[in-house]
Amino acid sequence: MTPPALQLSAITKRFGAVAANDGVDFELRRGEIHALLGENGAGKSTLMNIVYGMLTPDAGEIRVGGEPVTIGSPRQAMKLGIGMVFQHFMLVDVMTVAENVVLGAEPTKGALLDSRAAVARVRELAGRHGLSVDPDAVVEDITVGQQQRVEILRALDRGADILVLDEPTAVLTAQETAELMTVLRGLRDKGTSIVFISHKLSEVRAIADRVTVLRRGRTVGTVEVAGPNPPDEAELARLMVGRDVLLRVEKAACRPAAPLLDVRDLEADDDRGLRAVDGVSFDVRGGEIVAIAGVDGNGQRELVEAVCDLRAPVAGKVTVGGKDVTGRGARHARDCGLGHIAEDRQRSGLVLDFTLSENLALRDVDRRTRFGLLSPRRMLARATDLLAEFDVRGGGPQAAARSLSGGNQQKVVIAREIAAGPRVLVAAQPTRGLDVGAIEFVHRRLVAERDAGRAILLLSLELDEVRNLADRILVIFEGRIVGELPPTATEEQLGLLMLGGGGATSARASAA
Amino acid sequence: MTAPTPSDHRGPAATRLLRHLSVGGAVAPLITTIVAFFVGGLVVLATGKDPLTTYKAIFDGTGLNWLLPWSGDRALAATNLQQTLINTGPLILCGLAVAYAFRAGLFNIGAQGQYTMGTIAAVYAGSSWAGLPGWLHVVLAMAVAALAGAAWAGIAGALRASTGANEVITTIMLNYTALWIGVYLFGLGGPLQANDQPDVPVSNDIVGGAKLPVFWGDKDLQGLHVGIFVAVLAAGIFWVVLNRSRLGYEARAVGFSPPAARSAGIGVGRTYVVTMAICGLFAGLAGSLDILGWQFHLATNDISASQVGFLGIAVALLGRNTAIGTCFAALLFGALSQGTSVRNLDPAVFQPELAQNLTTVIQGLVVLLVSADVLLASVWRRRRARAGGGGAAAAPPTPTTLGSVSP
Amino acid sequence: MSARAASAACAAPAATAGWAGILAGVLALFVALPPLTVRSDALVVVLGALALAAGAAALRGGERKLGGAAILAGLLGAGLGYGAAHTATGGLEAAVSWGALGGATLRFACPLIFAALGGLVSERSGVVNIALEGMMLMGAFFAAYGADKTGSWVLGILIGMLAGAALAAVHAVFAISVRSDQIVSGTALNFVALGLTGYMYVDVYGADGTPNDLPQVPEVHLPTSSLGFAGNSIDDQNLLVWVSLVMVVAVWVFVFRTRAGLRMRSVGENPRAAETVGISVQRTRYLAVIASGALAALGGAFLSIGSVHSFTQNMTAGKGFIALAALIFGRWRPFGLLAATLLFGFSSALAQRLPQLTPGAENVATLLQALPYVLTLVAVAGVIGRSIPPKADGVPYKREG
Ligand SMILES: Nc1ncnc2c1ncn2[C@@H]1O[C@H](COP(=O)(O)OP(=O)(O)O)[C@@H](O)[C@H]1O
Ligand SMILES: [Mg+2]
């Protein structure tokens, strides 16, 4: 029997006090697609970065083809036939596809680069594996899906027979995902062993031969998917999150009042100047939670930014409590009663180097002044109250926000936004990366604010969360609202809409 | 205003520096200074002189020995100390000009140019409007100088806000532009060249009423003028604005995290402009102190030889961008240049021309080592985080540190 | 060309405005020069203002490049024209003896070329180098010192380059290994170099200055003086001027046509990506920064033993920053920076020659000295298309765990 292509035993890696990997075992057979499944932060990327020599493990053994090895650098990994496609692509944007593929193993003619040979090599490789890209195109001009191909090509160019893909579908459209699956199956059938990292159950079931589940840095188990009795999604989910289902939030029936947030024909561009929000209209009434569901990258981020006036809309109108806030700047929107729980709390939600008391004053510092000067005493007093009310732990009002755990940081953001007494609260991925306890806190709080009569717009990539919290679900696809569903809708119904299929027209009528 | 700030995603360089500089207290700057003097001493030793007697002679020249009542010639020490403090005032202000920008995540290399614009404006205002009452004339001239500096710095702020142009580059360019403007204005045949000395590239003298009053020492022999109080007062204002005003609060928020500030409704672009303008106020004021305090006129040579604004960078860094630290760092550098001046240092002990260059080396080393104690500081911080243990202290990586290299 | 211009003009009023602005800017200078030699400020200023207005109109109409070019032409034309209009006619003809002007342009450009190329190598690898000034100064002093002590200009140059490389190595240690802020470390090293060269100069040469018999880099005499002004410009140039021009080509080939150059650029754009394909970010940056110091020092060596045959304290006097400006203005490209240094060199040559020939109005020409800085301001502000540095320029790199 041939030894496994890759075998990891008892791999441990710590970052400070966090054990990102804690005695992980993993085995990749030759010629299989092996999914590595786990929630955000479970340690998947860390494990594979160790395999690729980007990180050095604190303990554990790696065998490649049965031989124990130490992998100190990507160069060594490549020598061992390991290739990796990173979650954030490792490409040089201003260079051509061919240059990116051959980088590190460039063909030369005499002292000079042989770019013609490079192009030929890339073309041949792309043809062989059915990965069409233009070798002469500049990377920043091609689509994300094509960029991913460049990464795959580069790994193959180095002769990789073990290919690791870190969340390869997170950035792809449905069409591109399907194409990627085909390519990967083709590679497997030619003998490449593939590690496919994901936290999406359906994908894993569709492509993997086996699945290894990681939870909080430990291996939970490995199951056959391609075998005779494959596990269903519920079973995988249980392995992944370690409990049956997400706790349902207790909530009373929704009693919607007058619309507080009204978005009309909103259009906005993304950072590259491409239309990301394409004529979106909806409203949110006081006392209801409206969720926007969709696959990541369908314009959610731009929609939130446009609504909160952090991104100038191209067209359309946003009103908060009847006041037009379009394009008047974030401060104006906030003064009109808009609260915003930012998607990336560490980047946009908090000033990490400020104290909690300073962070809590971010929205309304002008109301904390005396004789035109800030009053630290007042700021502290108020912070002390808010930290108690929102049960923030890990530091007093003088502690730097940086020193708090993610869940507590999020509580600070929520405390600040709610304390300002907004009429409309926009919550973008409010539970991303939080532990169960913190998730529950956030959910309860959002429902409580709904019951207090605020209009809540929720953006989430987690379908469970959407169905749990929302009173109405709007599905966004390629920058448009393609349908509205009740929270009782099944995952299949939602999924179909999210991928752009069916039912759009009738649903849209009711959304308007 | 939606300002494009292209470097936000990786955190502006100044922001990263800022984060590091805010730990470590006064110990690190002290060590930095000692090491710099030690290395400077090695240079002296390498050229066959005795570092200890050299440093002693320089110290005596600074006048700081006046503070030691038992020391020798009190009158001489007093004169020297007056000169040291005359140097210190503008250095404090230039240090504040750099420090304030730092706190908002901007790197103001342009204090020199802002200072130059201040001197030009001060000499213009001081030599015109002869009929004004003295105190009004002084105040007006200082105000005009501060505004000139603010306008000059504001250019860099506005460019950053509107086009994202890197303020390091723009302020460097503005420095040299200011220099040549000055050389043009006071050069032979220039529009502001002295009326009564057609062959000398110098400005008119300022009128008597525009001179800053001298309160210690001989009025006619360059006694200490009140500029030092202006500078210390400015440091106080710096502290209040930064820590107690909404303006400063917003500047600090922008300095630490432009995206978070933006999302909290703070106008990041506006903050850049206002911040730079405030920096320019400080540096322009520094220019007026020199002109109204002791130079009284401006020669093209003065403009090209001046280093005060550049030293402001060293002052701010060594003073860790705090008001009090800036004052002490300025005193150190002010004393150094006084102690090594030709007038003071006995050539038999150590050649003053050598000593001046030694000072420059030490200043460079101080800045270099400050940039390195950024490392010490971060090691220290990490050590503390680990010692603190527990999930809370070992914070997860922030987007700014992780994102600094990924696209 | 003109056909394209014409069709563009028909197509859009903004483009017409842009072209008109460029024309007005050119005219502003042209009227003031021989043979027209108009002696009125008004005409020059009006033409320049027209150019600016037209440029602004073009910009507002969306013609960024044309509008920027028109503004540039307006500024240049008005500035140069104003200077020329204030110059005695006879003097002007002499000053604008193109051969001498061309020669002086090359002489002024040469040290800038070396230093800017040094900056290019460093920044393309991702390390900001504002210590170019200090590295030039090291080159200038140690080339003179080396040439004096060894009696050979070749060894002098080598010693100068070594000194520049040594200062650069310090920058590398701080910027790359210690991960200091690169701007701070560069600023510091400018001070250190200024003090150190000054100290050694005073210590070694004292009041007498460098000896008169300092070995010098030879001039290359070419029999081209009969070939009009171009021939006149190059017939008597220093060897290092030729080396600098060759170096532009060499650096271009290296950066864009060799394996090491490709890797260096990848490190400057996305170091983590480079690392994932097995390129050592640290090693690449160290080599680039050290090479950058040697190149800048070569520019300094030209100043001391190529051009004026002596060393004086702080003799670079901001040339390192002009080189930095040229690098940015030339958009981090070898031929771009060559064009920029030639332009800056030309303005210096004019500034130097105009006053000599026009007593009484010398100082108008000084304003030309500010031109490089003003143009660079305009360039980074994005009026003439943006100057975009390498993506990882100035960002310290840290390997994970
Ligand atoms: N460079 C790092 N420094 C500190 N902590 C890290 C680093 N990389 C990852 N972590 C932490 O390790 C844990 C696992 O992260 P990761 O492997 O990226 O998870 P996954 O890829 O499964 O989402 C997380 O808690 C994360 O915060
Ligand atoms: Mg991951």
Side-chain angles (χ1 to χ4, degrees), chain A residues 98-281:
Chain A
E99 283 171 331
N100 268 286
V101 172
V102 301
L103 188 64
E106 308 84 350
T108 50
K109 205 159 57 180
L112 301 183
L113 275 179
D114 189 348
S115 43
R116 204 169 309 156
V119 168
R121 200 163 103 193
V122 173
R123 197 161 274 146
E124 188 275 331
L125 200 63
R128 183 141 48 94
H129 296 288
L131 288 154
S132 67
V133 275
D134 172 9
D136 291 315
V138 174
V139 164
E140 63 189 354
D141 297 336
I142 62 180
T143 64
V144 175
Q146 287 171 327
Q147 290 179 354
Q148 189 174 63
R149 292 178 177 183
V150 177
E151 290 248 311
I152 297 176
L153 281 173
R154 180 152 76 195
L156 296 175
D157 182 67
R158 297 306 125 84
D161 50 19
I162 298 172
L163 184 62
V164 179
L165 299 105
D166 194 351
E167 305 219 8
T169 58
V171 291
L172 299 186
T173 64
Q175 173 68 30
E176 286 170 334
T177 303
E179 286 170 17
L180 175 69
M181 301 264 180
T182 314
V183 168
L184 293 184
R185 286 194 190 98
L187 285 171
R188 174 192 57 192
D189 296 344
K190 285 180 204 148
T192 309
S193 318
I194 297 173
V195 180
F196 183 96
I197 299 181
S198 177
H199 60 224
K200 297 183 188 164
L201 301 173
S202 54
E203 252 170 47
V204 165
R205 271 164 37 97
I207 183 128
D209 300 310
R210 293 196 299 158
V211 181
T212 292
V213 181
L214 280 189
R215 190 197 315 149
R216 302 208 181 170
R218 294 167 187 267
T219 316
V220 178
T222 301
V223 287
E224 300 271 346
V225 178
N229 44 1
D232 62 9
E233 289 195 9
E235 210 173 320
L236 286 175
R238 193 160 46 244
L239 282 174
M240 192 162 104
V241 294
R243 60 196 141 78
D244 269 343
V245 262
L246 201 70
L247 288 170
R248 276 205 91 78
V249 191
E250 300 293 326
K251 59 176 193 184
C254 144
R255 269 174 287 131
L260 289 178
L261 174 69
D262 186 72
V263 175
R264 279 300 127 213
D265 304 318
L266 194 65
E267 294 179 27
D269 291 345
D270 65 14
D271 293 332
R272 298 186 187 187
L274 305 175
R275 188 57 41 91
V277 178
D278 195 3
V280 166
S281 301

Side-chain angles (χ1 to χ4, degrees), chain A residues 40-41 43-46 87 166-167 197:
Chain A
N40 273 331
K44 308 179 296 284
S45 300
T46 303
Q87 197 167 353
D166 194 351
E167 305 219 8
I197 299 181

Side-chain angles (χ1 to χ4, degrees), chain C residues 126-336:
Chain C
V127 180
V128 168
N129 190 351
I130 66 168
L132 287 175
E133 172 87 3
M135 294 171 190
M136 285 181 90
L137 203 50
M138 292 292 275
F141 174 75
F142 282 93
Y145 181 70
D148 177 33
K149 296 296 168 205
T150 63
S152 144
W153 61 266
V154 180
L155 288 176
I157 286 184
L158 283 180
I159 291 169
M161 289 174 74
L162 273 178
L167 191 74
V170 178
H171 185 48
V173 170
F174 278 84
I176 302 166
S177 298
V178 178
R179 271 176 280 118
S180 292
D181 186 274
Q182 300 172 7
I183 310 248
V184 176
S185 145
T187 307
L189 290 175
N190 281 333
F191 278 118
V192 170
L194 179 62
L196 195 66
T197 55
Y199 190 99
M200 289 200 62
Y201 172 75
V202 174
D203 196 48
V204 178
Y205 297 109
D208 306 333
T210 46
N212 289 329
D213 59 351
L214 208 57
Q216 297 159 13
V217 184
E219 312 262 293
V220 178
H221 300 279
L222 294 180
T224 54
S225 46
S226 55
L227 300 180
F229 100 88
N232 255 326
S233 313
I234 60 169
D235 62 354
D236 247 349
Q237 285 294 1
N238 192 277
L239 179 63
L240 282 178
V241 170
W242 294 109
V243 175
S244 73
L245 296 175
V246 172
M247 207 55 106
V248 172
V249 181
V251 169
W252 180 82
V253 170
F254 171 77
V255 172
F256 292 102
R257 285 292 180 269
T258 68
R259 174 192 289 207
L262 182 76
R263 292 181 176 188
M264 186 179 88
R265 281 187 289 141
S266 74
V267 167
E269 289 285 341
N270 188 345
R272 181 137 299 165
E275 196 189 324
T276 61
V277 295
I279 297 168
S280 165
V281 175
Q282 305 253 327
R283 209 176 81 99
T284 309
R285 288 189 169 173
Y286 261 95
L287 291 176
V289 171
I290 290 172
S292 139
L295 272 169
L298 198 49
F302 170 81
L303 289 177
S304 63
I305 61 174
S307 160
V308 298
H309 314 312
S310 66
F311 176 85
T312 48
Q313 290 194 52
N314 193 18
M315 81 180 300
T316 45
K319 291 203 174 53
F321 288 104
I322 305 194
L324 188 69
L327 175 64
I328 297 162
F329 198 62
R331 299 190 190 191
W332 288 268
R333 296 177 165 279
F335 289 103

Side-chain angles (χ1 to χ4, degrees), chain B residues 121-335:
Chain B
V123 90
Y124 175 77
S127 58
S128 340
W129 315 330
L132 284 178
W135 63 270
L136 183 62
H137 201 167
V138 174
V139 172
L140 259 185
M142 291 196 342
V144 170
L147 288 177
W152 202 243
I155 297 177
L159 286 176
R160 172 71 197 259
S162 62
T163 71
N166 184 332
E167 77 283 355
V168 171
I169 306 296
T170 52
T171 51
I172 289 176
M173 299 304 143
L174 286 167
N175 281 342
Y176 286 94
T177 309
L179 189 157
W180 287 110
I181 288 179
V183 172
Y184 162 73
L185 290 174
F186 307 116
L188 297 183
L192 296 184
Q193 197 222 345
N195 306 332
D196 49 354
Q197 309 176 70
D199 301 328
V200 191
V202 69
S203 72
N204 284 318
D205 276 6
I206 62 171
V207 300
K211 292 182 182 171
L212 283 166
V214 169
F215 72 94
W216 186 26
D218 190 331
K219 193 162 158 324
D220 300 315
L221 286 175
Q222 228 183 79
L224 181 57
H225 59 78
V226 296
I228 184 73
F229 295 123
V230 174
V232 172
L233 187 69
I237 293 174
F238 171 95
W239 187 88
V240 171
V241 169
L242 199 60
N243 297 302
R244 286 291 181 274
S245 80
R246 175 171 160 187
L247 213 60
Y249 174 84
E250 294 190 346
R252 285 184 294 130
V254 170
F256 281 127
S257 171
R262 204 164 95 79
S263 131
I266 296 171
V268 174
R270 200 186 64 102
T271 304
Y272 284 149
V273 180
V274 173
T275 299
M276 283 308 289
I278 290 177
C279 296
L281 283 178
F282 287 126
L285 199 56
S288 75
L289 292 196
D290 275 342
I291 294 297
L292 310 177
W294 63 278
Q295 280 184 317
F296 306 138
H297 55 237
L298 191 56
T300 56
N301 278 343
D302 298 335
I303 297 175
S304 36
S306 166
Q307 293 268 12
V308 183
F310 290 123
L311 286 181
I313 301 170
V315 168
L317 287 170
L318 186 62
R320 307 213 146 210
N321 304 321
T322 62
I324 182 92
T326 300
C327 289
F328 280 112
L331 180 63
L332 173 73
F333 286 149

Side-chain angles (χ1 to χ4, degrees), chain A residues 257-262 283-287 319-322 423-424 453-455:
Chain A
L260 289 178
L261 174 69
D262 186 72
D283 58 25
V284 184
R285 294 161 178 272
T319 50
V320 171
R423 292 206 267 183
V424 176
R454 306 191 206 284

Side-chain angles (χ1 to χ4, degrees), chain A residues 17 89 310 330-331 334 342 344 346-348 350-354 358 361-362 365-366 372-374 376 379 402-404, chain B residues 8-9 19 240 243-246 249-250 252-253 256-257 259-260 262-266 390 392 394-399 407:
Chain A
F89 299 153
L310 293 166
R331 176 152 283 167
R334 306 199 137 220
D344 187 340
Q346 298 204 328
R347 192 178 126 87
S348 310
L350 294 167
V351 178
L352 290 176
D353 295 278
F354 265 10
E358 284 173 316
L362 261 184
V365 64
D366 30 346
L373 295 182
L374 304 186
M379 283 165 66
R402 183 182 292 286
S403 67
L404 262 58
Chain B
D8 285 350
H9 63 281
R19 192 171 298 134
V240 171
N243 297 302
R244 286 291 181 274
S245 80
R246 175 171 160 187
Y249 174 84
E250 294 190 346
R252 285 184 294 130
F256 281 127
S257 171
R262 204 164 95 79
S263 131
I266 296 171
T398 65

